[in-house]
Amino acid sequence: MILWKFNRLIRSFFIVFGLIAFVMIMGIVKTIGAGLSNQAAERVQRSCKVVDKRTRVSGGSGDFSASTYYYITFEFDGGERKELEVKDRDFGMIVIGDRGELHYKGTRFLEFVRVMEA
């Protein structure tokens, strides 16, 4: 009886461990795939307007540090929109309503060059 419970406990442990390992491996594969896709994409330069900004905070409970991710939504001529993750310094320098040239490669933000209107 005790041996049967122990075997069941061991089997459950390996199932949970296997599921966690599978999720981690899928996350790594997805990240590598996105990086390779961005690397293969061509550099694009388009006129646009900044229409929205947002942040996402992850972690931060207990003794864990928080991470903040920054996103900007650009609207192109014709109404198409694209949201890209940007670095904190770019997030602080770009304002909703700015017009300019967006440079990106796949889903990777490269640069936003503001156009001053006279």
Side-chain angles (χ1 to χ4, degrees):
M1 180 77 166
I2 294 175
L3 186 60
W4 179 79
K5 286 184 179 181
F6 181 72
N7 284 339
R8 188 173 176 188
L9 179 66
I10 294 295
R11 193 175 331 130
S12 298
F13 170 78
F14 280 113
I15 289 171
V16 170
F17 179 78
L19 287 173
I20 292 171
F22 177 76
V23 169
M24 290 176 65
I25 290 170
M26 290 307 295
I28 291 169
V29 168
K30 184 178 177 183
T31 301
I32 291 171
L36 291 174
S37 176
N38 282 338
Q39 195 66 24
E42 66 181 56
R43 183 182 175 118
V44 178
Q45 176 180 337
R46 295 178 69 183
S47 295
C48 65
K49 177 181 178 180
V50 176
V51 293
D52 197 19
K53 295 170 66 172
R54 72 179 178 93
T55 59
R56 180 176 61 90
V57 179
S58 134
S61 63
D63 293 334
F64 297 100
S65 63
S67 297
T68 305
Y69 302 91
Y70 302 90
Y71 301 90
I72 298 179
T73 302
F74 301 93
E75 184 175 81
F76 305 108
D77 300 332
E80 178 190 351
R81 291 184 174 197
K82 186 170 197 73
E83 181 180 67
L84 297 172
E85 184 176 350
V86 299
K87 293 186 167 98
D88 56 350
R89 65 178 179 269
D90 295 315
F91 188 84
M93 297 299 292
I94 299 172
V95 179
I96 294 175
D98 279 351
R99 291 189 169 278
E101 294 288 324
L102 172 65
H103 301 248
Y104 64 96
K105 191 172 182 178
T107 60
R108 185 179 301 144
F109 172 86
L110 299 175
E111 178 182 30
F112 178 75
V113 180
R114 184 179 297 111
V115 175
M116 299 294 184
E117 297 176 4

